[in-house]
Structures are given as C-alpha cells and as structure tokens.
Amino acid sequence: MFKKILIANRGEIACRVIKTARRMGMGTVAVYSEADRDARHVSLADEAVAIGPPPSAQSYLVIDRILEACRQTGAEAVHPGYGFLSENSAFCGALEQAGIAFIGPKAHAIESMGDKIASKRIALAAGVNAIPGYTDVVRDADHAVTICREIGYPVMIKASAGGGGKGLRFARNDAEAREGFQSCRAEARSAFGDDRIFIEKFIEEPRHIEIQVLGDAHGNILYLWERECSIQRRHQKVIEEAPSPFLDAATRERMGAQAVALARAVEYQSAGTVEFVVDAKRNFYFLEMNTRLQVEHPVTEMITGLDLVEQMIRVAAGERLAFRQEDLKCDGWAIEARINAEDPFRNFLPSTGRLVRYVSPAEEPGAVRVDTGVYEGGEVSMFYDSLIAKLIVHGATRQQAIERMREALNAFYIRGVSHNIAFVAAVLQHPRFVSGRIHTGLIAEEYPAGFNPADAPPDDPVFLAAIAAFARRRYIDRAVRISGQMPGLGRKVNAQWVVLIGTERYPVAVEPVEGGYRIRHRDTVYDVRSEWRLGEPLFNGTCNGRPFVLQVERRGLKYRIFHWGTQVDAVVMTGRGAELLALMPAKPPPDLSKYLLSPMPGLLTEIAVAPGQEVKAGERLAAIEAMKMENVLKADRDCVVAAVLAKQGESLTVDQPILEFK
C-alpha cells in the first residue's frame, strides 16, 4: 500500500480524498494555486505545494508542475479527483513513465472513452445499446442536414470531445440543424481544440441514469447499482439520487450487465461511470463513460456502504476487489444536492466573495453527510467552479430521504455569497419530484422564466408568523427582565400582536408557557417550545410536539425567516402600530434605468462602447467573467452612452454601475 499520495485537485473533492487517505494511514500532499493558498484542502493535508497562478490553465492543469510536486514530496501515487486532469490520458501516461501510480484507470481506457465517437463504436462492438445516429465525422452543415433527415428529427448535435453541457445543440428542423452544427463546431473548437461533430436521435422525455462500475487489475469488474441524475439545469446536475425511482429490477440488471461489458471491453481498472439515457418505456441507450470518480459518488457510497475512494486506492495498489457482485446489497435511499454559489433569483449568475457565515448541518453517520472544501471566513473564488458543498442524506425510503434532505437544508446557514438552497428546496418539494415523475427537462418545463420567490411559497405562512411573534416576544421579555431590575422602569407587555408578511396581516395572541410560547391565530394554536436565544442563526424547537429547524435574523424592525426554501420578512407590531403603518406613503425605489449595473461579481473583461456612442437594442455593451462563465451584457433599448463608470480589468461587485446613459 502507498505511504503517501498527492491529490491533484482542489475544493471539496481534495478534502474528501484526504479524509479517506488519512483513515487508511497514508500521508497526503495538497497542491494549490495562489488563489487557494488559504484553502481548506491545503490546511487538511500533511504537506502542500504551490503550483502557480490562479487560472487553472497555469496551475492545476499543468502536468509538469504536478509531477514536480510529486518529486519534491516523494508522493508514490496521485488521485486526480474529478475535472482538471482526471480524464487526461497524457497525464496518466506521464505519471506511469515517472514511476508514480495513477489512482484511476489506465491511459488506454481514458483515451478510448474520452472520444465520444470512438466510445460509441466500442460500445456497439461490446453489445451495448446505443442511440440511433451517425458515428462518423460530420463534414459540413449540408452533410449535417442530410444526416438529420435520415435519422429523423428531433436530433442532438454533439462535439466528440464535449462534456459539461458544452458542444451540444438541439435541432427540430433543417434550419436549426444547420445553425446548430456551425455553432457547435465553433464552440467545440474553442473549448476543446477538437471540432469533430456527431449526430444522434433525441430521446423524448429522457432520464439520465448512470451505472457505477468498479474493476481491478485482475479482471474482476462489477456494478454498484445506478444513480438517477435527471434533475438538471442547462445540462448541469442539481440533485442526484440512488437508486432510481423509475427502474425495475430487470432493467437495472440489464443496464448493469451492459455497463460491465463496456468496462471489460477497455480492461477497466478503478471506479468509473457508464451513463445512459432512458426513455419513458425503460428503453436505455449508451451516452458516454466517465473514466473517473463522479461528483455524485456519495449516493452510491450511502446505499452500498463502500468507500469508492478507498476502492480506487486499493485497486491502484494492485489489490483484488474483496467482494463479488452477489455480495453487494442496495440499502435504502440516498439523495445528494449540490449547494452552489449562485443567485437563483438572478438567473443563477455566479456569486463570489467571502463566506461571512458558514454553518453546515450536523453530520450523522449513515444519515446526513456534508462534503465541502470551504470554511467560514474563506473565499469563494472567481477562478473556479461555484460548488460550495454537497449535502447527502440517506433514508430507509425515498420519502424519508426527501424529508431528511429538506430538514438538513433548513439548517444550512450561508451568508456573504448568494446560494441555490431556496431553489433546491423548491425542487425537492415539487409534486413531480416527490412522485418520481421526472426527466431531464423538468426544470426547464416547471421554471421556464427562471426561478423567483413565488415559486417557493411557504407551506404554512401562519407558522412563520408565529415564529416571528415568538422571536419578538422573546426580545421584549429580555428587555423587561433588564429594565425590571431598575426602580420605576417596569414595562407592560402586550399579548395581542399583528404580524405583517408582505401584504398579509396575521393577528396573533402570545402567551408564555414553560419552555416557550403559545401563539394563537384565530382558531389555530402553535405551541412553540425552544431554547433559541436572540442572535442565534438557527432556530431549533418543536411546534405542537413536532421538531423543526429554521433560520431567523433580526434586521431592524423585521425578522427574516428562512424555512424549506422560503424567505419571508415579518414585522411584528401592536394593532395600533399596524394601523398607522398602513397610512404611511410608500417610498418609490430609485430610478436606475439610466445605468448598466453589474448583474454579478466578476472581472470586467470588456467595455465595448465609448462615451457619446449611440447603441441599438441588442448591441454588446460589456462582458463580465466569473467561475469559468462569461456573461455578455447587451442593450435592452436604443440609447446613447453618457459615461463609462468602470475600467476594463476591474473586479466588480453586484449592482456596481458600469455605464451611464443619456
């Protein structure tokens, strides 16, 4: 077994690999860019080596620097995590040539499965179901149209070297096929340096279901059940679960057998994933093979009890798998949610900055798990992806897992950057998700105009009003205790209140009881018991005997409450105070229509206009880059530029003015 391994990655996956390596008694080496000098994975490892500037192309993707870090520290093996160099056959070959073990498959397997055209041919030869399509290189747009007509619309136009949603277009007719081919080829050339394109039939209402495989160097290959990854936004996974709520035992067995057959065809050694698209009749077709650990691997670990990182390390060290297919059991249900630094209310634009507060849910072995690479006070950098953490839960049934996930999300407290917790919570309680009637188009269908607060209405707004009344009453009772110790400063406490949430008014009566308060709204009683103290972000307690957790913040006269993805601002007043407030004129918001504001924090990479320039609606004004994403800002009307208020190369904050118009 290895004595020391290097993790050629960053963030949560580096921390996750370090955790297993430490448990196995191995020393660990972290590598880091200048932006990650104070990152969590650096502090967790036994040793750390700087490898270059913040851009990944100058640090985490430079093979020679990873090799030099191995030489400096004496690392015997490298775990690549996922992303970066994890599926780079040249990196694998360079390590082998240097006498350093690659904790992953052999170079030939990576190379074979990394090319979508070649992998599809191998799959067909191995007897794996494949989507009808054209597996040779498409010459030009006219050729693409001819092929699409032969296959039959709708079709998917794909880059052979594509991944992560890049190099992918959908076409329903000749015009879309022609335009899709041209744009897909251009994007593939820019993103991957490989403009080869292929075309295949689009499966209506597809599910994305993948099979986890595991093989060793002694010819043993098996599958570890499946993962349902159909909840996606713009081809990026949001929620994953294992097993799938759609597959039956017979389909599962056939998919597993075909995944193993494909892995055997490339002599696969290590953990890998064979991805399938499944139609409404449970017909399944090979999509691609990921020759690495997947982001969503924890749900498989939850239902099998296996540590996939440990298995990868043991296989790389030459050990045989210690179990057979018949030894594996599928225990319960697991769900994973990706918690990202993005603003769902601003079309999911990236959010960067300091994590002013970061409190993750308490971990419970076998029930709640949090994989993260951040810490309170740390920085979410503009140079890398937006993943803050992965929240994984396990339950005896799917319903129990959903409920456990919702409660855990209530306890996930993040401030300083925007995050997608409200969106994840809304999807989890959507009737289609709860019933298992899902496919990859669910988010696009259910949130066609994006996500907004109205998509996550509170299940019980009166309960939130009761919590606001509890918080207000506890604040007043504390003030009474303090002032009551001073002669002549006694204070009478009202029992009748009005809670204002938006335009709704909730009259409540608050009565102290042992351990809390009894709040009555008309004929409904909320008996809330809690040890919550003012200023604590998490409010744990029971309501009518049932436990709950939510978040409460006092903001001036308001109490901001977060629960099950819902955020409300509540004002608690006396009845007379509420009457007077209703008479106050509303202050109009400032007119910002003359300004172009930055929709997200990021680097201003381009100013495309100058003072005095006339621009037409739709013309390019500026470009901002953050987290590998370029956001082009265009004029929404005809106008004249009055002034440029920011400089190219400047780091912008949200809503910072960039341009002023006349």
Side-chain angles (χ1 to χ4, degrees):
M1 184 53 65
F2 309 118
K3 294 181 180 178
K4 184 187 293 187
I5 69 170
L6 181 144
I7 300 91
N9 217 299
R10 63 176 301 281
E12 65 85 17
I13 185 56
C15 297
R16 187 259 172 277
V17 174
I18 289 169
K19 182 178 179 181
T20 289
R22 177 166 294 168
R23 179 177 57 77
M24 296 176 69
M26 287 178 283
T28 56
V29 180
V31 292
Y32 63 92
S33 70
E34 292 171 7
D36 279 338
R37 184 174 300 276
D38 298 320
R40 183 170 181 261
H41 75 281
V42 175
S43 63
L44 285 180
D46 299 309
E47 301 174 63
V49 179
I51 55 171
S56 55
Q58 301 174 40
S59 51
Y60 294 104
L61 290 173
V62 181
I63 293 174
D64 288 344
R65 292 185 178 176
I66 303 297
L67 289 172
E68 180 57 31
C70 291
R71 296 188 189 101
Q72 287 180 23
T73 59
E76 305 163 86
V78 171
H79 196 299
Y82 38 71
F84 292 144
L85 296 170
S86 62
E87 293 180 285
N88 188 309
S89 58
F91 178 52
C92 178
L95 287 172
E96 291 181 358
Q97 189 173 359
I100 301 167
F102 180 71
I103 303 175
K106 298 302 180 183
H108 69 86
I110 297 175
E111 193 168 350
S112 297
M113 292 295 101
D115 184 309
K116 287 185 171 55
I117 293 176
S119 66
K120 191 168 184 179
R121 290 173 178 166
I122 294 171
L124 288 169
V128 179
N129 298 349
I131 300 173
Y134 186 80
T135 58
D136 209 341
V137 176
V138 184
R139 296 189 302 272
D140 52 36
D142 290 336
H143 189 205
V145 170
T146 300
I147 293 168
C148 291
R149 289 174 177 174
E150 291 174 354
I151 295 172
Y153 291 106
V155 300
M156 294 297 289
I157 302 171
K158 297 183 176 183
S160 180
K166 291 188 176 69
L168 181 67
R169 296 294 186 275
F170 175 77
R172 288 187 179 274
N173 52 52
D174 290 355
E176 291 181 0
R178 192 177 301 278
E179 191 280 330
F181 172 81
Q182 292 169 340
S183 60
C184 188
R185 173 185 257 182
E187 185 172 274
R189 185 185 300 116
S190 173
F192 312 113
D194 182 344
D195 65 358
R196 290 176 303 149
I197 301 300
F198 71 103
I199 301 173
E200 60 188 21
K201 180 72 175 176
F202 176 74
I203 306 301
E204 301 281 2
E205 296 190 358
R207 285 176 177 258
H208 184 131
I209 300 178
E210 56 192 34
I211 303 291
Q212 176 72 60
V213 295
L214 187 62
D216 63 22
H218 306 280
N220 301 304
I221 302 177
L222 42 80
Y223 68 95
L224 311 180
W225 317 118
E226 80 279 1
R227 296 186 288 258
E228 173 86 58
C229 305
S230 298
I231 302 299
Q232 303 179 8
R233 189 186 65 81
R234 297 175 185 168
H235 307 293
Q236 299 294 316
K237 298 168 186 174
V238 178
I239 298 171
E240 302 101 344
E241 58 183 308
S244 165
F246 184 61
L247 295 190
D248 54 30
T251 306
R252 177 177 294 115
E253 186 174 346
R254 289 198 303 272
M255 290 178 71
Q258 290 197 14
V260 168
L262 178 61
R264 196 172 299 283
V266 292
E267 300 177 337
Y268 199 81
Q269 304 171 25
S270 194
T273 300
V274 181
E275 298 190 352
F276 292 93
V277 59
V278 184
D279 68 17
K281 297 181 180 179
R282 295 193 179 92
N283 298 308
F284 59 90
Y285 307 96
F286 171 69
L287 194 61
E288 64 179 336
M289 183 176 189
N290 290 300
T291 54
R292 55 171 168 79
L293 194 67
Q294 291 280 87
V295 177
E296 57 273 18
H297 75 273
V299 292
T300 296
E301 295 182 326
M302 282 285 205
I303 65 167
T304 61
L306 296 173
D307 183 328
L308 290 181
V309 172
E310 177 183 349
Q311 296 303 319
M312 293 177 74
I313 293 172
R314 293 191 179 282
V315 167
E319 294 186 11
R320 291 178 177 271
L321 295 179
F323 42 84
R324 298 168 298 176
Q325 189 70 56
E326 55 267 30
D327 298 324
L328 297 172
K329 305 299 179 186
C330 180
D331 176 30
W333 215 282
I335 301 176
E336 173 181 294
R338 302 191 190 193
I339 309 302
N340 296 326
E342 59 188 15
D343 191 342
F345 303 114
R346 288 176 175 253
N347 199 27
F348 297 90
L349 288 172
S351 180
T352 61
R354 188 169 299 281
L355 286 162
V356 177
R357 294 298 307 274
Y358 177 81
V359 181
S360 60
E363 294 195 81
E364 303 174 39
V368 179
R369 167 177 163 182
V370 181
D371 286 7
T372 186
V374 304
Y375 58 91
E376 185 169 291
E379 198 83 18
V380 176
S381 171
M382 63 183 286
F383 295 103
Y384 310 112
D385 64 51
S386 61
L387 186 65
I388 295 175
K390 300 183 312 196
L391 177 59
I392 310 102
V393 300
H394 182 269
T397 63
R398 186 171 187 265
Q399 183 58 38
Q400 185 184 55
I402 292 173
E403 292 172 358
R404 187 162 281 163
M405 175 64 80
R406 293 182 71 192
E407 291 299 329
L409 288 170
N410 286 336
F412 217 134
Y413 185 77
I414 301 172
R415 299 293 183 271
V417 299
S418 299
H419 53 78
N420 66 334
I421 289 177
F423 175 66
V424 170
V427 173
L428 278 167
Q429 57 190 316
H430 194 284
R432 283 180 61 181
F433 180 84
V434 173
S435 66
R437 294 181 295 108
I438 60 179
H439 59 74
T440 57
L442 182 146
I443 288 177
E445 291 174 0
E446 298 299 330
Y447 306 98
F451 183 69
N452 61 73
D455 294 319
D459 287 359
D460 185 357
V462 184
F463 169 65
L464 302 184
I467 295 299
F470 182 109
R472 179 64 177 164
R473 180 60 189 263
R474 180 147 288 182
Y475 171 80
I476 290 176
D477 284 351
R478 184 183 70 170
V480 168
R481 286 196 302 273
I482 295 172
S483 62
Q485 298 173 9
M486 304 178 187
L489 294 180
R491 180 176 176 180
K492 182 179 178 180
V493 179
N494 287 317
Q496 304 295 323
W497 302 89
V498 174
V499 182
L500 307 176
I501 299 179
T503 59
E504 297 296 323
R505 297 162 56 98
Y506 300 97
V508 296
V510 183
E511 173 191 354
V513 294
E514 184 178 353
Y517 301 96
R518 182 172 292 120
I519 299 102
R520 185 183 302 275
H521 171 69
R522 298 193 176 99
D523 296 329
T524 305
V525 174
Y526 295 87
D527 196 340
V528 181
R529 311 293 176 104
S530 175
E531 298 299 318
W532 177 77
R533 296 176 180 272
L534 297 168
E536 291 181 348
L538 295 182
F539 190 126
N540 289 278
T542 63
C543 180
N544 298 334
R546 295 189 62 181
F548 69 87
V549 59
L550 46 73
Q551 301 172 26
V552 177
E553 295 175 354
R554 189 180 181 206
R555 300 194 170 194
L557 295 176
K558 297 179 179 179
Y559 292 90
R560 178 162 289 179
I561 303 172
F562 303 81
H563 187 237
W564 285 350
T566 298
Q567 173 183 308
V568 301
D569 286 333
V571 179
V572 186
M573 311 184 74
T574 62
R576 180 57 177 163
E579 292 174 5
L580 295 175
L581 181 64
L583 300 175
M584 297 292 289
K587 182 179 179 180
D591 182 11
L592 299 175
S593 62
K594 292 185 177 181
Y595 297 93
L596 174 68
L597 305 179
S598 175
M600 65 181 187
L603 183 69
L604 183 60
T605 56
E606 179 188 7
I607 295 286
V609 294
Q613 181 176 336
E614 294 184 5
V615 295
K616 300 294 184 182
E619 286 190 23
R620 188 183 185 107
L621 299 174
I624 303 170
E625 184 178 297
M627 294 179 173
K628 306 178 185 178
M629 172 182 173
E630 181 185 61
N631 188 39
V632 177
L633 307 182
K634 298 181 179 180
D636 59 3
R637 56 185 170 82
D638 296 351
C639 55
V640 177
V641 179
V644 176
L645 305 176
K647 296 179 180 179
Q648 187 168 314
E650 183 177 347
S651 292
L652 303 178
T653 58
V654 175
D655 290 335
Q656 180 175 337
I658 301 172
L659 301 174
E660 182 180 359
F661 305 107
K662 292 182 180 179

